[in-house]
Amino acid sequence: MDRRRFLALTPLALGVSGMLPFLGGCRQDDPLRVSYHPWIGYETLYLAERFGWLPEAATLTRRQSASESLAALQKHEADAAALTLDEVIRARVQGMDLVVVMVFNVSAGADALVVDESIKRLEQLEGKRIGAEGSAVGAMLLDRVLDKAGLSREQVTVVDLPIDRHVAAWEVGDVEALVSYEPTVARLRRLGAVRMADSRDFPDTIFDVLAVRRDCIHHVEHTLLGLIDAHFRALEHLRFNRQDALYRIADVESVSPGDVRQALGGVLLPDRLANQRYLSAGSRLTVAAAELQRRIGTSGGLQGDWFTDAFLPRRHARAI
């Protein structure tokens, strides 16, 4: 399994109807098509689908990577997608008007740098081949790691690798380090990779969110409310029926329940109240977004009303 504007939409005051659609939008009777890819923070969608909790008009498509989800949004083959915050910013810079409506998780160890056992210090990354998703959160975490090591990108060789190629690249020795995430990190460690740094070293940096095309929001508001409610219902299941959830997620991820348990230990899954705090002006989410935009080296991604808490349900699951 890449991550502002400082004025949030005034929920329900502006209202969903205040978010004006533009040409090429969805019809009133269009379903809400949601795209996501394997990542521990998104598996509440899978659980909600398995238990039949999704609204009838919501359809999920499980893709191989965030890049595929972004392409589906661009082609209007998807109306919403699970993405990292910086992916949303990059998409907005490129003209895709996405609105963040929910925070799935905050990474707290699940995103990591793993290295060959011969590398003992970050400074030894100099001259090494480091694999990372070029357009995803991996690029940002790599920049943070290089800053900490006192190295520039010119002092390493960055290999652009989508997540589904990380294990294969490691097995054939194409790279000596990888910026990856769970559960792939667990697979890499079984192959001898050593965890050297992770998102715990850079707190409140990596946010995974649900983003919706603005041209569709006005037409799918009830389904969107139901989808987000189903996510929080799945969080309840994860909390109170943990073993069942672990085995179900392990099955779809093709990993062990222990790997799922470890991956869950590397993320914070915020409840509705925490979501409300994140989706408000001056929050840690908005601060992180401003920093991400600065690091991406662009402007314009955070112009306009780019987030709202208007779709959060009244009842909520507790954070786990």
Side-chain angles (χ1 to χ4, degrees):
M1 317 152 172
D2 288 277
R3 302 254 224 225
R4 248 148 235 299
R5 173 188 155 179
F6 295 94
L7 207 49
L9 287 171
T10 306
L12 306 180
L14 273 179
V16 179
S17 61
M19 308 171 77
L20 298 177
F22 52 80
L23 292 177
C26 306
R27 298 186 308 274
Q28 184 72 32
D29 59 351
D30 276 347
L32 175 62
R33 301 164 298 174
V34 183
S35 179
Y36 76 112
H37 61 277
W39 164 243
I40 191 60
Y42 303 152
E43 295 303 354
T44 50
L45 295 178
Y46 166 74
L47 291 176
E49 183 178 45
R50 286 299 301 268
F51 287 115
W53 295 336
L54 296 177
E56 195 172 312
T59 58
L60 300 183
T61 300
R62 190 178 180 92
R63 304 183 191 273
Q64 290 299 308
S65 67
S67 298
E68 290 187 10
S69 291
L70 286 165
L73 286 170
Q74 183 68 47
K75 296 174 184 176
H76 285 210
E77 295 172 356
D79 311 308
L83 301 167
T84 48
L85 184 56
D86 66 308
E87 286 165 348
V88 173
I89 295 172
R90 291 176 191 271
R92 286 178 58 85
V93 168
Q94 294 167 8
M96 205 184 306
D97 195 358
L98 300 179
V99 180
V100 172
V101 296
M102 189 187 74
V103 177
F104 280 104
N105 70 269
V106 185
S107 183
D111 295 88
L113 170 76
V114 296
V115 300
D116 183 83
E117 61 182 0
S118 65
I119 299 174
K120 307 297 183 184
R121 304 186 314 278
L122 287 177
E123 294 81 2
Q124 292 177 304
L125 291 172
E126 184 174 3
K128 300 296 191 293
R129 291 173 59 84
I130 306 174
E133 286 187 311
S135 61
V137 72
M140 184 200 62
L141 188 59
L142 176 59
D143 286 342
R144 290 292 184 94
V145 167
L146 292 177
D147 286 348
K148 191 173 181 179
L151 299 172
S152 67
R153 282 206 170 215
E154 289 69 34
Q155 292 174 283
V156 299
T157 299
V158 180
V159 181
D160 188 356
L161 284 175
I163 189 66
D164 56 341
R165 291 177 52 199
H166 283 198
V167 171
W170 186 265
E171 287 180 317
V172 300
D174 278 351
V175 292
E176 294 143 301
L178 272 167
V179 175
S180 193
Y181 50 81
E182 298 288 4
T184 303
V185 167
R187 298 193 187 105
L188 293 167
R189 293 183 70 185
R190 285 197 291 272
L191 294 171
V194 177
R195 181 189 293 257
M196 178 160 279
D198 59 41
S199 48
R200 288 173 296 186
D201 301 313
F202 314 105
D204 294 328
T205 297
I206 302 172
F207 290 84
D208 286 274
V209 301
L210 179 64
V212 186
R213 291 202 337 254
R214 188 184 299 274
D215 58 325
C216 290
I217 284 184
H218 184 64
H219 304 282
V220 297
E221 56 186 274
H222 297 297
T223 303
L224 185 55
L225 283 163
L227 175 81
I228 293 176
D229 185 70
H231 158 78
F232 288 115
R233 189 174 178 183
L235 278 189
E236 287 283 1
H237 184 78
L238 194 51
R239 179 181 178 86
F240 295 110
N241 298 278
R242 197 169 184 81
Q243 283 301 109
D244 177 79
L246 290 179
Y247 277 89
R248 289 179 185 274
I249 295 173
D251 182 60
V252 73
E253 291 270 16
S254 299
V255 296
S256 72
D259 288 338
V260 177
R261 186 181 295 106
Q262 179 176 322
L264 284 170
V267 293
L268 171 66
L269 303 170
D271 62 14
R272 186 194 68 86
L273 293 179
N275 257 269
Q276 199 165 39
R277 289 192 293 270
Y278 282 130
L279 298 174
S280 61
S283 70
R284 286 180 289 174
L285 179 81
T286 63
V287 171
E291 172 65 12
L292 284 168
Q293 180 163 271
R294 186 188 69 79
R295 282 182 167 272
I296 292 171
T298 187
S299 61
L302 301 177
Q303 292 178 348
D305 296 318
W306 64 272
F307 64 90
T308 179
D309 67 354
F311 298 96
L312 298 178
R314 292 180 182 275
R315 62 181 180 84
H316 62 91
R318 286 171 287 179
I320 58 175

